[in-house]
Each structure stands twice: as structure tokens, then as C-alpha cells.
Amino acid sequence: MSGIIVYGTDWCSDCMRSKRFFTAHNLEFDFVDVEADSCAEEEVRRLQGGERRIPTVVFEDGSHLVEPTHQEIGEKLGIIPRANREEYDLAVIGGGPAGLTAAIYADRQGLSTLVVDSASFGGQAATTKQIDNYPGFPEGVGGGTLAETFLNHADGENTELLSATSVLDLLEADDDRVELAMSNGQRVRARSVMVATGTTYRTLGAPGEESLLGSRIHFCSTCDGPAYRGRSQLVVVGGGNSACEEALYLATLVDEVIMLQNLPELTADIVLRERVLADPKITVITDSAITGFAEAQSSSTDGASVSVDFIHGPDRTAAQLSPDAVFEFIGLRANSANFTGRLEVDAQGYICTGSDHTTSMNRVYAAGDVRRGSTKQLVSAAGDAVSCFLVIRDLVLAEKKRSLEAV
Ligand SMILES: Cc1cc2nc3c(=O)[nH]c(=O)nc-3n(C[C@H](O)[C@H](O)[C@H](O)COP(=O)(O)OP(=O)(O)OC[C@H]3O[C@@H](n4cnc5c(N)ncnc54)[C@H](O)[C@@H]3O)c2cc1C
């Protein structure tokens, strides 16, 4: 065995992410599946005083990190990624499907491009187990596999990919450049910037939730719902428009949908509310609060399901459900907090742009899920990045042509 051991499971998206860090930095590691190896599971529990949180990464010196970010692993190993140049034609903030698509196009146009991602590359796509609606993959494709494919395609000769590094601020430089302040302490300049920082699904933060995200707890019913067709029960968390729309859709796939809403009633528009309440397959439990999740064995299906503990009603009665999966629709958070002082955002933090992707800051553009009005689908995030890139390309190539003519 090599010095580094990653304990995890093959369905855990955070485990995939940790593995990707070591691969990206050419570091040898061994992966041990705790579900296939009871001694490995015992070892993880020993390290964590009885808990079994994954990934657990054990280093050569015997120390370990539980569910580490890339930045934490980098700090532990003394790896601080740095950009190679001081200036680029294009800096892309965020290496999800939008950012990586922009990199593919920029490389083909010969633009020097830096793609910076605070985690690893692939964005939200990399965190999902199976993607069934991406063109070209009729049998579906693993999110990690697709993200890897995007990354390999984006790794062109004009492109530099910098992971585990956050862009903390954007500053207007004095000579028609934008300066990026990064978490590694470095500042780089760019003629143009594409902000493609995406969104993060709001989660409940309930015990047991984290380790089931992407496997039994989902956020996209069009993406993950069809995998449960014909199953007996799904739980939908939330009571707004998205939760009601998604519950109606999921009820067409399974025998029963239980909605757990924390407020005394559904808050969706009246028409949606009435449709939900009239649907014989949907049961709404209001005034409820989820207290924990755990993996469970389902008798009705062919594999593991999830157990959901919750309290409800005026006397906060404790209850439990064992659905095949849980879908949470309690909102999205745009990843724009670092730029809200610089870029105009709407009430939810989505970046406001013109139809040409321009933001309120000169030379800064936005694309993908973080942009106001985005459709939160992979294929549209990639397409949005292309239309944004074409605007940037025209600006950069025209400027470069002018500078050449001036020489
Ligand atoms: C569990 C799950 C399942 C999904 N399934 C499907 C599906 O089956 N089909 C489908 O079409 N869509 C699906 N989606 C939605 C799809 O993944 C998104 O629409 C798509 O990933 C958006 O791409 P993006 O590049 O705009 O943003 P993201 O994918 O969110 O990528 C943004 C990137 O920016 C980085 N970042 C954020 N802030 C900073 C910063 N300050 N500095 C540097 N980097 C930063 C993040 O680390 C991230 O890697 C799913 C989403 C989730 C969460």
C-alpha cells in the first residue's frame, strides 16, 4: 500500500472528490471501500470514536482528516497551487460545466486562460451519482465520470487549471485589466473574467444528511427521479413552488410521495397547492422538522433506502419514515458572496447581467447557474458559457488586434 489511504464508498461524491485531488497532483493513494471491507469500517470507526464519516483520509504520518476540503488536504501536504503567469486573456472563476466549457472554447481560440476552482473541477455535476439527461449518454453517465471527461477536454495547451483555490475578490486594475485576489495570496490580472461559480443547494444540516447527499438525498427530480420509477415511497422536503412542482412530478413515478413542510401550510401558489392537495398519491405533513437521516434496508426495493426521523404537529410528535429516497427543495444559494460588493446581484444573490452576459463591472461577465434567470441544468450551463464566451472572444481578439496594429 502507498502512504495515503482514502476510506470511502463508491457512491460517495465527496470520496470521489478527494480521490480526484490526489490524482490531479500525481500523488499515489489507495482507496478502500468501507462497505466491502469490515476491517476498514472498523478502522474508520476507531479513528472517529465510533462514527463512520467518509471520506476519511489517512496520511503517511498516521494522521487523518475526516471529510476534508481540497484546501485542507493541500495544507496538510504543503501543496499550495499557484497560477504560473501574472496575466491572462481570460480568467474563469469556477470549474463546473460552465467554466470548463468556456475553457474548451477559449483554448481553441488561442486565448491564454486560467480556470480557478475553490474545490476540484466538475462543479455540481461531479457530485451526482448518475446523470440521465445529458445528450450523448442514453444509458446515463456517472457525474464523476462526466466531470472527468469535461476536465480532460478542457485541459488544453493555452489553459491553466488551478484547483483548491478560491477567488476572494475582483478589483478594477488601472490599465483595462481586472485583478483577481485569490486564497493562495496570489493576485493575477486578466483582460476579461467569466464568473461561473454556480450554486449550492440549501441543505437542512440534519444529522446523517451529508453522507447521503447524491446517493439517497437528491435535489433535482428531473435528474434523479426516474431512477425510482415504480418504487413505493419518496419524501419531498419543502412546501414552496419547487417542492410542489417536483412532488407532482415524482408522484407520477412512484406509489406515494410524502411532503414534509416545516410551516403550518404549503406556501406554493394556490393552483399548485390545490393540485398537490388533490393528488391521491401525495400526503402533506405540515409543521414538521426533520431531526435526522440514516441508511436503512428497504424491504420494498432491491437495496438500501433511507430512514427519516422527524417531529410534527403542535405536540412535536416523533415519527419515522423509510422512503426509497428523499428530495430536498428548500432553495438554492448562488455562490456570489465574494463578489456582492462588486457585482450587482438580485435578492437571492444571482448575478444580474445584460443579455450579452455583461455584469455591473467592466470586463466581468457571468454564465451558468450563478446568473440570474438560469435554468439549473447541466446542458444549459454549458450552453450559457458558450454564448458568454463568444462575447468575451470578440472583446479580447479585437483588443489584441488593435495592440498588434499599434506596434
Ligand atoms: C446532486 C445534483 C444532481 C444534479 N443532476 C443533474 C442532472 O442529472 N442533469 C442536469 O442537467 N443537471 C443536474 N444538476 C444541475 C447541474 O449540475 C448544474 O446545473 C450545473 O453543474 C451548473 O454548472 P455551473 O458550471 O454553472 O456551476 P457549478 O456546477 O455549480 O460549478 C461552479 C464551480 O464554481 C466553484 N466556485 C464557487 N465559488 C468559487 C470561488 N469564489 N472561487 C473559485 N471557484 C468557485 C465551485 O467549487 C464549483 O466547482 C444536478 C445538480 C446537483 C447538485
Side-chain angles (χ1 to χ4, degrees):
M1 279 216 175
S2 64
I4 299 167
I5 305 172
V6 180
Y7 290 102
T9 63
D10 64 353
W11 50 260
C12 149
S13 50
D14 286 341
C15 303
M16 286 184 217
R17 228 178 282 156
S18 288
K19 289 196 283 183
R20 209 169 308 119
F21 180 91
F22 296 118
T23 309
H25 291 90
N26 292 322
L27 291 166
E28 268 190 45
F29 68 97
D30 287 294
F31 175 70
V32 184
D33 187 338
V34 294
E35 283 181 346
D37 181 340
S38 58
C39 295
E41 178 168 353
E42 233 169 76
E43 174 62 4
V44 168
R45 288 195 191 278
R46 186 189 68 76
L47 290 168
Q48 294 174 34
E51 281 195 56
R52 199 213 71 164
R53 285 187 292 143
I54 49 171
T56 295
V57 181
V58 178
F59 296 92
E60 216 156 352
D61 62 4
S63 65
H64 71 278
L65 291 172
V66 179
E67 298 176 277
T69 61
H70 276 195
Q71 215 151 329
E72 285 166 341
I73 300 176
E75 277 163 17
K76 165 73 198 164
L77 296 173
I79 300 170
I80 300 174
R82 294 183 70 78
N84 294 333
R85 303 164 55 142
E86 287 177 0
E87 190 168 310
Y88 297 84
D89 291 328
L90 169 63
V92 180
I93 309 175
L100 293 177
T101 302
I104 293 166
Y105 276 68
D107 185 57
R108 290 163 69 89
Q109 294 288 333
L111 304 195
S112 60
T113 301
L114 174 69
V115 187
V116 190
D117 199 291
S118 48
S120 61
F121 294 100
Q124 294 170 60
T127 70
T128 187
K129 191 175 178 190
Q130 175 85 357
I131 293 169
D132 288 318
N133 58 1
Y134 196 74
F137 296 92
E139 306 301 323
V141 56
T145 308
L146 189 61
E148 209 65 45
T149 313
F150 284 169
L151 183 58
N152 292 338
H153 195 174
D155 194 8
E157 63 179 286
N158 301 301
T159 311
E160 217 184 289
L161 300 161
L162 191 62
S163 69
T165 309
S166 295
V167 175
L168 304 176
D169 202 357
L170 292 171
L171 305 134
E172 270 181 40
D174 47 13
D175 56 349
D176 290 346
R177 298 288 188 273
V178 181
E179 195 169 81
L180 284 76
M182 304 197 289
S183 59
N184 60 5
Q186 213 178 356
R187 289 194 171 211
V188 294
R189 290 145 50 89
R191 273 181 201 271
S192 60
V193 173
M194 184 187 296
V195 182
T197 47
T199 58
T200 309
Y201 280 92
R202 283 186 204 280
T203 55
L204 294 163
E209 183 183 42
E210 180 83 26
S211 65
L212 292 164
L213 296 180
S215 62
R216 290 280 153 176
I217 300 181
H218 307 287
F219 305 95
C220 174
S221 62
T222 28
C223 317
D224 300 308
Y228 298 96
R229 194 186 298 277
R231 299 287 180 90
S232 55
Q233 189 187 78
L234 294 173
V235 160
V236 165
V237 184
N241 282 340
S242 303
C244 285
E245 270 175 17
E246 308 294 351
L248 285 164
Y249 168 64
L250 291 170
T252 64
L253 305 175
V254 298
D255 297 342
E256 185 186 22
V257 171
I258 312 267
M259 290 185 77
L260 295 179
Q261 155 74 323
N262 63 340
L263 299 172
E265 58 182 27
L266 298 177
T267 52
D269 298 342
I270 181 86
V271 179
L272 265 178
R273 238 183 300 159
E274 283 174 356
R275 282 182 57 206
V276 164
L277 296 174
D279 192 316
K281 282 182 158 184
I282 304 178
T283 305
V284 180
I285 303 178
T286 52
D287 271 327
S288 60
I290 291 177
T291 52
F293 296 97
E295 273 179 68
Q297 282 306 312
S298 164
S299 52
S300 65
T301 66
D302 54 359
S305 73
V306 51
S307 81
V308 182
D309 291 314
F310 66 103
I311 49 174
H312 66 105
D315 49 359
R316 313 313 276 155
T317 311
Q320 192 179 62
L321 291 166
S322 296
D324 292 289
V326 176
F327 285 79
E328 294 184 5
F329 301 106
I330 54 171
L332 284 170
R333 191 165 40 83
N335 296 326
S336 62
N338 291 0
F339 317 117
T340 45
R342 310 279 178 199
L343 307 179
E344 189 190 337
V345 297
D346 70 8
Q348 280 75 45
Y350 289 96
I351 298 175
C352 303
T353 64
S355 56
D356 58 356
H357 296 265
T358 46
T359 69
S360 52
M361 190 168 173
N362 197 21
R363 293 173 181 273
V364 177
Y365 302 78
D369 280 13
V370 75
R371 187 180 178 220
R372 185 172 64 173
S374 57
T375 50
K376 319 289 180 296
Q377 288 289 288
L378 218 154
V379 71
S380 44
D384 204 42
V386 175
S387 57
C388 181
F389 172 73
L390 295 179
V391 177
I392 291 173
R393 178 200 63 182
D394 291 348
L395 168 96
V396 172
L397 293 184
E399 276 188 4
K400 289 180 115 177
K401 190 168 171 234
R402 275 199 299 277
S403 343
L404 277 176
E405 282 165 0
V407 174

